[in-house]
Amino acid sequence: MTALVIGAGPAGLMAAEQIARAGHKVILADAMPTPARKFLMAGKSGLNLTKDEPPEALAAQYPETWIHPYVTAFGSAQMQDFARDLGIDIFTGSSGRVFPTGMKASPFLRAWLSRLDALGVQRHTRWHWTGWEGRAFLFDTPEGPQPVDAKVCVLALGGASWPRLGSTGHWAGLLAIKDIDLAPFRPANMGFHVAWSPHMQPHFGKPLKSIAFLVGAQSLRAECILSARGFEGGGIYEISSKLRNGYPLALNLLPDTDIATLTDRLARPRGKESLSNHLRKATRLDPVKLALLNEWARPLPQDPEALAALLKHLPVPLGAPFPIEEAISTAGGISARALTSDLELRALPGIFAAGEMLDWEAPTGGYLLTACFATGFAAGRAAAERLSSSV
């Protein structure tokens, strides 16, 4: 009997492998000309496979607790073993992030596709899933409409970010007409707009370092980049879900200096010096931090205690998030209540789902890929078991 996997990103490739390893015929269909385009793009700046940390710490990075069993069963250790089994040498950086020694995604993908070919997985590209024709899955292909009758199917079509790489989210409409419960797509791991004044232009493209982001009760030591549109980069991505959900943002410009020490420095006599010169000498703020302070807090308070408090908690007038098409990932998709514990759609028996189609999110740093691999592994195993029990 035949299994169908729709989507040739990490989750789909993993599901196809698990089904093929169980001895079943697998058809793997993808709408793009080549597989795993978003995966390859992610590897251009260094393929961060996972984070080397204990299962409990890794699972804690996923706000949706329903996904914890999957990333615990297939977590950091399993991701690393998987890479080694493909013949990919890996290393762990000082931050705990795990990378291939060569840093790139293409050798990893080539080795993986070669293994899938050896397992007999039939790959089809430029096959665009358009819905159903009776019980068959219908595809628009270069050769015309193509129905596929499969006993089981794993859907792994990605979310709605980076549509030019294949994650268009078109599948949501196909599932909605089948009464599958879906959460609206929202951008995740994205930048935010800031309405800069013209004097900030010289600082565009520069990093904002040695600061702490203050979001609710959270204080996060991180960095970001000032761009013409606003804030971008890893630090802002890590807190983007809270910011998207309405939490205000503030900056601690001097996280290594306590407020009492800072107040004392600012209270020293400044003579005929201007407040700005006195501030610069007392705090040693770099030009980017000084620019932000002047951008959002002029006129600066003369009182040393009030000025110190402002340096430790500078409110940021953040605008809207960057559009979903530019986000690294998305929240939303198939809700947990629409799924069984095997990631099978309750309303469509025999159809499973994995990867960013599911309603979960996580920060960058290896967590996104880990969950895609983990849910693909779980859905593939479950689909294989369903096929085996039907024989």
Side-chain angles (χ1 to χ4, degrees), residues 11 14-16 18-19 70 152-156 341-344 351-355 358 372-386:
M14 178 60 81
Q18 301 313 306
I19 300 168
Y70 308 104
V152 300
C153 175
V154 177
L155 301 175
S341 60
D342 285 334
L343 301 180
E344 184 178 18
I351 300 180
F352 302 78
L358 310 179
C372 287
F373 275 69
T375 53
F377 181 84
R381 284 285 181 93
E385 289 176 8
R386 175 66 58 83

Side-chain angles (χ1 to χ4, degrees), residues 129 131-137 171-182 345-348 351:
W129 180 43
W132 286 269
E133 184 178 74
R135 294 178 54 87
F137 295 82
W171 53 265
L174 301 178
L175 295 187
I177 62 177
K178 296 289 187 178
D179 294 325
I180 304 300
D181 188 63
L182 303 172
L345 296 174
R346 295 183 186 277
L348 297 173
I351 300 180

Side-chain angles (χ1 to χ4, degrees), residues 214-216 249-253 307-316:
L214 306 175
V215 187
L249 174 64
L251 300 179
N252 182 347
L253 297 177
L307 184 54
L310 190 60
L311 291 166
K312 298 292 288 181
H313 192 281
L314 177 65
V316 177

Side-chain angles (χ1 to χ4, degrees), residues 69-88:
Y70 308 104
V71 296
T72 299
F74 192 101
S76 177
Q78 290 80 10
M79 280 285 291
Q80 294 179 63
D81 288 343
F82 186 84
R84 294 187 188 100
D85 287 344
L86 282 175
I88 304 298

Side-chain angles (χ1 to χ4, degrees), residues 251-274:
L251 300 179
N252 182 347
L253 297 177
L254 294 164
D256 294 321
T257 306
D258 63 76
I259 194 166
T261 301
L262 189 55
T263 301
D264 182 64
R265 290 177 183 173
L266 293 169
R268 294 171 186 169
R270 59 184 172 100
K272 296 182 179 180
E273 275 191 327
S274 66

Side-chain angles (χ1 to χ4, degrees), residues 26-322:
V26 181
I27 295 174
L28 175 62
D30 193 89
M32 300 302 287
T34 53
R37 289 199 162 189
K38 191 176 178 183
F39 178 74
L40 290 172
M41 176 63 76
K44 284 197 170 183
S45 57
L47 183 64
N48 185 189
L49 289 169
T50 190
K51 185 80 174 289
D52 189 8
E53 55 190 7
E56 298 80 8
L58 186 137
Q61 295 296 323
Y62 302 87
E64 295 80 9
T65 56
W66 69 268
I67 203 170
H68 290 185
Y70 308 104
V71 296
T72 299
F74 192 101
S76 177
Q78 290 80 10
M79 280 285 291
Q80 294 179 63
D81 288 343
F82 186 84
R84 294 187 188 100
D85 287 344
L86 282 175
I88 304 298
D89 293 328
I90 57 175
F91 72 96
T92 302
S94 58
S95 65
R97 297 183 179 190
V98 179
F99 300 88
T101 301
M103 297 297 286
K104 300 301 182 183
S106 50
F108 189 107
L109 181 60
R110 283 196 300 270
W112 199 359
L113 293 176
S114 177
R115 186 157 78 184
L116 292 176
D117 290 342
L119 287 168
V121 174
Q122 298 179 18
R123 290 190 279 127
H124 298 281
T125 55
R126 295 188 173 90
W127 277 34
H128 183 80
W129 180 43
T130 58
W132 286 269
E133 184 178 74
R135 294 178 54 87
F137 295 82
L138 189 61
F139 293 87
D140 182 14
T141 79
E143 291 75 35
Q146 177 69 49
V148 176
D149 191 7
K151 183 70 175 180
V152 300
C153 175
V154 177
L155 301 175
L157 291 105
S161 64
W162 290 80
R164 65 186 180 86
L165 300 178
S167 296
T168 64
H170 84 282
W171 53 265
L174 301 178
L175 295 187
I177 62 177
K178 296 289 187 178
D179 294 325
I180 304 300
D181 188 63
L182 303 172
F185 288 124
R186 294 164 294 163
N189 292 296
M190 67 292 183
F192 283 80
H193 289 282
V194 175
W196 302 116
S197 66
H199 98 274
M200 289 298 298
Q201 187 171 356
H203 304 286
F204 294 159
K206 294 181 179 178
L208 180 59
K209 296 182 176 182
S210 301
I211 53 99
F213 292 106
L214 306 175
V215 187
Q218 181 182 8
S219 177
L220 173 69
R221 291 291 297 265
E223 300 179 4
C224 71
I225 299 292
L226 272 63
S227 74
R229 295 193 297 166
F231 280 166
E232 304 182 40
I236 206 75
Y237 299 159
E238 191 164 345
I239 54 174
S240 61
S241 63
K242 288 185 175 180
L243 300 177
R244 183 196 64 216
N245 293 335
Y247 281 74
L249 174 64
L251 300 179
N252 182 347
L253 297 177
L254 294 164
D256 294 321
T257 306
D258 63 76
I259 194 166
T261 301
L262 189 55
T263 301
D264 182 64
R265 290 177 183 173
L266 293 169
R268 294 171 186 169
R270 59 184 172 100
K272 296 182 179 180
E273 275 191 327
S274 66
L275 177 59
S276 59
N277 281 337
H278 176 65
L279 173 65
R280 178 175 51 81
K281 290 180 180 179
T283 63
R284 297 182 180 178
L285 288 175
D286 63 45
V288 176
K289 292 180 181 179
L290 283 170
L292 291 177
L293 187 65
N294 284 304
E295 176 77 354
W296 295 325
R298 289 180 67 87
L300 298 178
Q302 300 286 324
D303 176 66
E305 188 173 353
L307 184 54
L310 190 60
L311 291 166
K312 298 292 288 181
H313 192 281
L314 177 65
V316 177
L318 212 58
F322 288 0

